[in-house]
Amino acid sequence: MEKYGIFELRLKCESEPNVTFTCGDTAINVKGFRVGDGEYAVRFMPQTEGVWKYGGAADGEFTCAANTGGNHGPVIANGTHFRYADGTQYVPMGTTCYAWIHQTPELIAKTLETLASAPFNKIRMCVFPKHMPFNQNDPELYPFDKKTDGSWDVNRPNERFWVHLETNIGKLRDLGIEADLILFHPYDRWGFADFSTEDCLIYLDYCIRRLSAYRNIWWSLANEYDLIPQRKAEDWDAFGEKILSEDPYRHLTSIHHCLAIYPKRDWMTHCSIQSGFVKRMAEWQKEYNLPVMNDEYGYEGNIEYDWGNLSAFEFVHRAWTVITGGGFVTHGETYYREDEALWWAKGGELYGQSPERLAFLKALQYEIGDVEPYSNTFFGNPNEKPNENIEGADAQQQDFARLFVRVMRSLPEFELRSFMTGFSPSIVRNENYRLQYLGRQCPCRLDVKLPENGKYKVEVIDIWEMTRTVALTEVSGTLQVKLPGKEGVAILVTRTSGEAL
Amino acid sequence: MEKYGIFELRLKCESEPNVTFTCGDTAINVKGFRVGDGEYAVRFMPQTEGVWKYGGAADGEFTCAANTGGNHGPVIANGTHFRYADGTQYVPMGTTCYAWIHQTPELIAKTLETLASAPFNKIRMCVFPKHMPFNQNDPELYPFDKKTDGSWDVNRPNERFWVHLETNIGKLRDLGIEADLILFHPYDRWGFADFSTEDCLIYLDYCIRRLSAYRNIWWSLANEYDLIPQRKAEDWDAFGEKILSEDPYRHLTSIHHCLAIYPKRDWMTHCSIQSGFVKRMAEWQKEYNLPVMNDEYGYEGNIEYDWGNLSAFEFVHRAWTVITGGGFVTHGETYYREDEALWWAKGGELYGQSPERLAFLKALQYEIGDVEPYSNTFFGNPNEKPNENIEGADAQQQDFARLFVRVMRSLPEFELRSFMTGFSPSIVRNENYRLQYLGRQCPCRLDVKLPENGKYKVEVIDIWEMTRTVALTEVSGTLQVKLPGKEGVAILVTRTSGEAL
């Protein structure tokens, strides 16, 4: 038994058992769940090495060894970034297969095969089946049995469904993929969106008991919570608080919206944004002071819906914009197919040109480590006043900056915020690296300002061709860099020695 | 002498002469200007055919014949569109050569040669020279002589300069190009931006006396008025009112901004916008109820400034977005050159890929005639409430629309306006045509809703390849159109018979 693995007890008893696990000063109470007639399971994920004792509905002990191999424990929020519980670096590069577990065994196997060689280390997926265009098929299994009146009985989980779900969550874990599990969504024809608040809480309680020992579980309260009219506003807080109080491991918890971003809450570990306004990442990061993931800024594809017909270049361009705004991205693909097996919903195969380019980007993110958004223009950081003190500006530039900012301050709020957002630069940095993405701007040359006291390397990155070209080495101060004058170029500065970037 | 031509009197007198021109019930008082020692000129543009008599500082008459050839008179605003005074269709497709008249004779000749075969029928140009990056050269001629203290004497115009300016305005006229003459701008090292308000008014008065008889004059009060700190807010209204009261012909008058769009005024005939937010055209058209021209949404080029390094595709894409938002566009080009002869400032030659594509677009605009923005989505027309009644929606779609709009109404103003603007469709139409631009969306197919009672033709336009492909003919009702699944596609519907589009 290794750290972050699942320790499972099977018990014969009359009702749902409680077991308390203790190791040193740590005591964790875990609730079991029914798996068959008079049979219950209790699952526990130890996060401390050593001897764990347990008591309550069952007694015993086990030894928890160090984690090994690709097991780094659950992902946790770390400031505005993520990391694994054991301290290992984790940079999310997600994808979206909403209803992949609701497809045929053949298609599910194909999805797992595709994921095995794809760059994705997180997947957005639903517990409930999804009813949408290109998603008209009924699943083989449903999460609950029905009452005699035809409605779902949340007190009678369908064991086959949950085994199916958790088996696939386990397979994802073994591929190093986090399961960003969507608990509610609006695209329903079966009645799952119609649950009473009470039934929702019973269902959530079951999810927590059954699934929370999987280290790769993330809780996504909803896909597009604001498009589920059956839910009252206070329901979502009740659900978030339920997870906060019941999940022994405090798995990552978020809520995804369509139009109305959910306000900050204690139960929220990060932001799960849906927005084509990809320049706004730093703004939300500042407002929430949490990691911000743009889980849906449109998908690479060619279907008739605006959300599903971005070109591969536009998709990759948006990814770079999000990441150089200090955020994180999730992929999705919606190329039209006669058989309706579109990756975004059903999984299967990938046909697009973005995944290999996201792999390139992800490798770069891992190389440079955690970064924060940075600005040295008028537009400063979003959510702050326009910046009239421009780093390294001469007197004339500084005069102009003051004038410019004075005009900006006279603007109506919408105008000011539009400018602040639209023109905020796409730059992130830490001590050792500074990454600037030029987006669709095509300069053939650019001044790069480096500290005077140090030595730095400047590379020019082509985000589409996936090339890195060293432009300058062992330089400092303000320098002109030659650029290819095309869309999709980034500049990476690496500190060789001296002053931090 | 033909209608909209220039009738000029040269008079010897003691001070600036006044002459009144009458024809039937029309009497127009025209003020003269000094052209040499004791010599004055009076210029008049007749807009009515017949015998004109004049009296005052000089007496006489002349006969005004019908206009001929390419002479259609001045351009005037016509609702939210433009037309020539004689009723002929005019669709502006402008370009920008701020300081072309301040260059060498060779370069000026080259600019005119380039313009002769370019698609542009309007040019943004300055009276004063411009001091900016790539614009460091002094002109040969300045508009005024200097006082002994070194400051400009607005009461002593430099005749050679003004002959030079008006000769080139005349050459533009003969090429069918409107001269959108910029009267003030901030990029100054010579002191023209430092004029007192009184001096500004003397200068404006002179411009009106001297240039207003040119039918192709448009008055642009400023390039980036809000970046001229020497000017008080009330100056601009004084300048606009001066033109309104003194210009006998009511030439088109606008004011161009950097950040702060000028409020609507009586003296304003149209909006001269600077904005990269190309989706906002219909919004401003609604607010101002005037023709809206986006004179500066960035230039095709590769220099180091964000405003001057759009790819040719992005430039053309923005042009289509503006025009299918109900607005009009102005071109500019800033490809880096060692000799610093960048088209946007100095003229010369064009090197870009957008002009031929703007020619294609302009030809289409002339073909389809005046159009108005239209929407059939949630997002409705900007500046209006979200649209919950979707034309042709079934009951389920309509339910969803109501839900969607309910969520939108709960959003903070900035969020709502961002969505309304960002997602407003790019569609314009009139009775006979409907033009929808899909922008960077890449659907491989799309439902097109046509009226049931009529016959229509559907063409697919590739804005980059400049192709028009007939997809459907003699059709009606809702139809699926196959599309190439790439960026830069538009759909043109033409009415063959029956119900208006």
Side-chain angles (χ1 to χ4, degrees), chain B residues 348-374:
Chain B
E349 292 184 65
L350 286 164
Y351 302 90
Q353 295 175 284
S354 67
E356 66 177 305
R357 291 169 175 87
L358 298 176
F360 173 76
L361 172 55
K362 179 185 156 203
L364 182 67
Q365 291 179 279
Y366 270 93
E367 179 180 334
I368 70 178
D370 294 345
V371 283
E372 294 291 343
Y374 165 71

Side-chain angles (χ1 to χ4, degrees), chain A residues 131 134 187 226-229 258-261 274 276-277 280 283-284 301-311 313-314 318 336 379 396 400 403-404 406-408 410-411 413-415 417-419 421-423 440-447 480 485 487, chain B residues 131 134 187 226-229 258-261 274 276-277 280 283-284 301-311 313-314 318 336 379 396 400 403-404 406-408 410-411 413-415 417-419 421-423 440-447 480 485 487:
Chain A
H131 171 69
F134 306 106
Y187 302 101
D226 47 342
L227 296 190
I228 312 179
C258 178
L259 295 166
I261 299 179
Q274 171 169 198
F277 300 113
R280 295 183 63 185
E283 183 185 328
W284 291 313
N302 64 357
I303 58 171
E304 56 265 58
Y305 308 101
D306 281 4
W307 47 262
N309 57 31
L310 300 183
S311 70
F313 182 84
E314 176 69 18
R318 292 189 183 193
Y336 174 76
F379 299 102
Q396 197 185 345
F400 185 72
L403 167 64
F404 205 84
R406 197 179 69 201
V407 177
M408 289 182 73
S410 75
L411 296 172
E413 191 209 352
F414 175 72
E415 304 293 338
R417 287 196 61 182
S418 295
F419 282 115
T421 302
F423 294 97
R440 292 192 176 274
Q441 308 296 145
C442 307
C444 65
R445 59 183 196 175
L446 204 65
D447 277 355
Q480 193 174 76
E487 298 186 352
Chain B
H131 171 69
F134 305 106
Y187 302 101
D226 47 341
L227 296 190
I228 312 180
C258 178
L259 294 166
I261 299 179
Q274 171 170 200
F277 299 114
R280 295 183 63 185
E283 184 184 328
W284 291 313
N302 64 357
I303 58 172
E304 55 267 57
Y305 308 101
D306 281 3
W307 48 262
N309 57 32
L310 300 184
S311 70
F313 182 84
E314 177 69 17
R318 291 188 183 194
Y336 174 77
F379 299 102
Q396 197 185 344
F400 185 72
L403 167 64
F404 205 84
R406 197 178 71 200
V407 177
M408 289 183 74
S410 74
L411 295 172
E413 191 209 352
F414 175 72
E415 304 292 338
R417 287 197 59 181
S418 294
F419 282 115
T421 302
F423 292 97
R440 291 191 177 276
Q441 308 297 144
C442 307
C444 65
R445 60 182 195 175
L446 205 64
D447 278 354
Q480 192 174 78
E487 298 185 351

Side-chain angles (χ1 to χ4, degrees), chain A residues 23-36:
Chain A
C23 177
D25 293 340
T26 306
I28 296 168
N29 184 49
V30 176
K31 296 173 177 169
F33 57 96
R34 186 178 176 280
V35 290

Side-chain angles (χ1 to χ4, degrees), chain A residues 225-463:
Chain A
Y225 81 90
D226 47 342
L227 296 190
I228 312 179
Q230 296 95 325
R231 295 268 68 80
K232 299 186 295 290
E234 58 266 34
D235 285 350
W236 300 110
D237 279 336
F239 301 164
E241 280 155 23
K242 175 85 182 171
I243 289 173
L244 183 59
S245 63
E246 298 290 327
D247 174 2
Y249 316 106
R250 182 69 169 119
H251 283 289
L252 289 170
T253 307
S254 68
I255 183 166
H256 170 274
H257 62 94
C258 178
L259 295 166
I261 299 179
Y262 208 88
K264 188 172 181 177
R265 293 288 189 263
D266 284 346
W267 48 259
M268 195 182 283
T269 56
H270 63 286
C271 296
S272 170
I273 300 285
Q274 171 169 198
S275 180
F277 300 113
V278 286
K279 276 274 192 183
R280 295 183 63 185
M281 300 313 290
E283 183 185 328
W284 291 313
Q285 193 201 76
K286 184 98 187 170
E287 183 179 339
Y288 283 78
N289 196 27
L290 293 173
V292 179
M293 187 165 304
N294 196 332
D295 272 321
E296 201 179 338
Y297 53 73
Y299 305 126
E300 180 188 352
N302 64 357
I303 58 171
E304 56 265 58
Y305 308 101
D306 281 4
W307 47 262
N309 57 31
L310 300 183
S311 70
F313 182 84
E314 176 69 18
F315 190 89
V316 176
H317 159 68
R318 292 189 183 193
W320 277 81
T321 307
V322 166
I323 282 161
T324 54
F328 304 100
V329 295
T330 298
H331 162 269
E333 183 180 297
T334 46
Y335 281 108
Y336 174 76
R337 289 176 57 78
E338 282 288 331
D339 68 2
E340 302 209 330
L342 281 64
W343 175 264
W344 127 92
K346 296 185 179 172
E349 292 184 66
L350 286 164
Y351 301 91
Q353 296 175 284
S354 67
E356 66 177 307
R357 292 169 175 88
L358 297 176
F360 174 76
L361 172 55
K362 179 185 156 203
L364 181 67
Q365 291 179 279
Y366 270 93
E367 179 179 335
I368 70 178
D370 294 345
V371 284
E372 293 291 343
Y374 164 71
S375 170
N376 61 347
T377 76
F378 305 127
F379 299 102
N381 281 312
N383 286 15
E384 289 181 357
K385 296 284 181 202
N387 182 10
E388 68 179 13
N389 295 306
I390 308 299
E391 204 177 294
D394 63 27
Q396 197 185 345
Q397 289 168 330
Q398 195 54 67
D399 278 352
F400 185 72
R402 268 188 286 270
L403 167 64
F404 205 84
V405 167
R406 197 179 69 201
V407 177
M408 289 182 73
R409 287 184 179 153
S410 75
L411 296 172
E413 191 209 352
F414 175 72
E415 304 293 338
L416 176 61
R417 287 196 61 182
S418 295
F419 282 115
M420 291 294 283
T421 302
F423 294 97
S424 71
S426 298
I427 311 180
V428 283
R429 69 172 177 181
N430 57 27
E431 288 198 335
N432 298 314
Y433 295 96
R434 190 171 73 204
L435 180 64
Q436 175 172 13
Y437 176 53
L438 304 178
R440 292 192 176 274
Q441 308 296 145
C442 307
C444 65
R445 59 183 196 175
L446 204 65
D447 277 355
V448 173
K449 285 180 187 164
L450 304 172
E452 295 290 343
N453 303 311
K455 294 294 177 192
Y456 308 89
K457 178 171 75 173
V458 179
E459 285 170 273
V460 177
I461 297 175
D462 184 320
I463 71 162

Side-chain angles (χ1 to χ4, degrees), chain B residues 74-78 81-91 370:
Chain B
V75 174
I76 58 176
N78 180 35
H81 307 94
F82 296 100
R83 63 171 171 81
Y84 288 105
D86 77 348
T88 301
Q89 186 180 16
Y90 174 80
V91 179
D370 294 345

Side-chain angles (χ1 to χ4, degrees), chain A residues 88-321:
Chain A
T88 301
Q89 186 180 16
Y90 174 80
V91 179
M93 181 58 77
T95 191
T96 310
C97 301
Y98 284 125
W100 75 281
I101 65 152
H102 299 285
Q103 308 309 316
T104 62
E106 295 73 24
L107 193 51
I108 289 173
K110 173 58 74 181
T111 304
L112 288 164
E113 185 189 326
T114 301
L115 286 170
S117 58
F120 308 118
N121 59 14
K122 178 182 90 89
I123 190 166
R124 300 183 67 230
M125 57 185 278
C126 298
V127 176
F128 297 130
K130 212 157 180 183
H131 171 69
M132 272 196 95
F134 306 106
N135 288 266
Q136 307 299 340
N137 54 320
D138 282 308
E140 189 198 325
L141 299 169
Y142 293 96
F144 300 102
D145 293 336
K146 285 188 168 175
K147 297 180 191 165
T148 50
D149 69 1
S151 66
W152 298 108
D153 185 346
V154 292
N155 290 306
R156 289 168 56 214
N158 175 351
E159 182 67 14
R160 284 181 60 216
F161 171 85
W162 292 93
V163 168
H164 174 70
L165 171 62
E166 69 199 17
T167 300
N168 283 308
I169 291 170
K171 288 179 179 173
L172 292 173
R173 175 198 59 208
D174 298 341
L175 291 170
I177 298 171
E178 304 296 304
D180 195 1
L181 193 67
I182 297 166
L183 299 164
F184 297 97
H185 68 75
Y187 302 101
D188 177 54
R189 70 166 180 265
W190 301 274
F192 300 113
D194 298 319
F195 279 5
S196 67
T197 305
E198 191 186 358
D199 280 0
C200 289
L201 290 166
I202 293 167
Y203 154 66
L204 280 181
D205 188 68
Y206 185 77
C207 287
I208 296 164
R209 290 168 187 247
R210 179 143 202 156
L211 302 174
S212 63
Y214 284 83
R215 63 174 174 265
N216 63 323
I217 276 286
W218 298 22
W219 306 117
S220 175
L221 290 193
N223 180 58
E224 298 182 342
Y225 81 90
D226 47 342
L227 296 190
I228 312 179
Q230 296 95 325
R231 295 268 68 80
K232 299 186 295 290
E234 58 266 34
D235 285 350
W236 300 110
D237 279 336
F239 301 164
E241 280 155 23
K242 175 85 182 171
I243 289 173
L244 183 59
S245 63
E246 298 290 327
D247 174 2
Y249 316 106
R250 182 69 169 119
H251 283 289
L252 289 170
T253 307
S254 68
I255 183 166
H256 170 274
H257 62 94
C258 178
L259 295 166
I261 299 179
Y262 208 88
K264 188 172 181 177
R265 293 288 189 263
D266 284 346
W267 48 259
M268 195 182 283
T269 56
H270 63 286
C271 296
S272 170
I273 300 285
Q274 171 169 198
S275 180
F277 300 113
V278 286
K279 276 274 192 183
R280 295 183 63 185
M281 300 313 290
E283 183 185 328
W284 291 313
Q285 193 201 76
K286 184 98 187 170
E287 183 179 339
Y288 283 78
N289 196 27
L290 293 173
V292 179
M293 187 165 304
N294 196 332
D295 272 321
E296 201 179 338
Y297 53 73
Y299 305 126
E300 180 188 352
N302 64 357
I303 58 171
E304 56 265 58
Y305 308 101
D306 281 4
W307 47 262
N309 57 31
L310 300 183
S311 70
F313 182 84
E314 176 69 18
F315 190 89
V316 176
H317 159 68
R318 292 189 183 193
W320 277 81
T321 307

Side-chain angles (χ1 to χ4, degrees), chain B residues 246-265:
Chain B
E246 297 290 326
D247 175 2
Y249 317 106
R250 183 68 169 117
H251 283 290
L252 289 170
T253 307
S254 69
I255 183 166
H256 170 273
H257 62 95
C258 178
L259 294 166
I261 299 179
Y262 208 88
K264 188 171 180 178
R265 293 288 188 264

